[in-house]
Amino acid sequence: QSGDRFSRGLDREVKRRALAFYRDRNFFDADVDVEWRQDPADERRGLLIVVVRPGEEHEIRFVGNEALSRRRLLDVVALGRRPVITEAT
């Protein structure tokens, strides 16, 4: 089925949206790879391949906050691959 024309930056946008989707569902270690494979027989066609590795689901709670939404707080917290922080740490 035909779709919109592939443009530069589409792969980054797909990756950003996929990561946001999984992050909203507590998969903070999700990893997404996006690749465009052009059809050698027709330069107007190709496949956008999206590979998602969701990782483990985690729960993050913000206690005492009333000013900002959970989503807004998650946007400002750097959640790269690092050890899990618990009350005991």
Side-chain angles (χ1 to χ4, degrees):
Q1 181 177 354
S2 295
D4 292 337
R5 186 178 189 103
F6 178 79
S7 63
R8 292 181 190 261
L10 177 64
D11 53 347
R12 287 187 301 272
E13 180 64 13
V14 167
K15 183 173 185 166
R16 185 190 68 75
R17 287 184 183 202
L19 286 171
F21 175 87
Y22 280 92
R23 190 175 196 185
D24 285 346
R25 287 155 182 80
N26 297 327
F27 290 91
F28 302 105
D29 295 329
D31 189 32
V32 177
D33 290 320
V34 180
E35 178 184 353
W36 171 254
R37 289 191 190 164
Q38 192 165 339
D39 184 340
D42 183 353
E43 67 181 37
R44 296 172 300 162
R45 299 184 66 119
L47 294 173
L48 185 64
I49 300 168
V50 181
V51 178
V52 177
R53 291 170 294 283
E56 292 187 37
E57 185 176 9
H58 299 283
E59 179 182 354
I60 294 180
R61 285 184 261 160
F62 296 99
V63 179
N65 168 60
E66 295 180 13
L68 299 172
S69 69
R70 179 179 189 274
R71 175 175 246 201
R72 177 82 171 138
L73 287 169
L74 286 173
D75 285 344
V76 298
V77 175
L79 292 173
R81 294 187 184 271
R82 61 183 177 169
V84 174
I85 299 170
T86 66
E87 291 178 24
T89 2

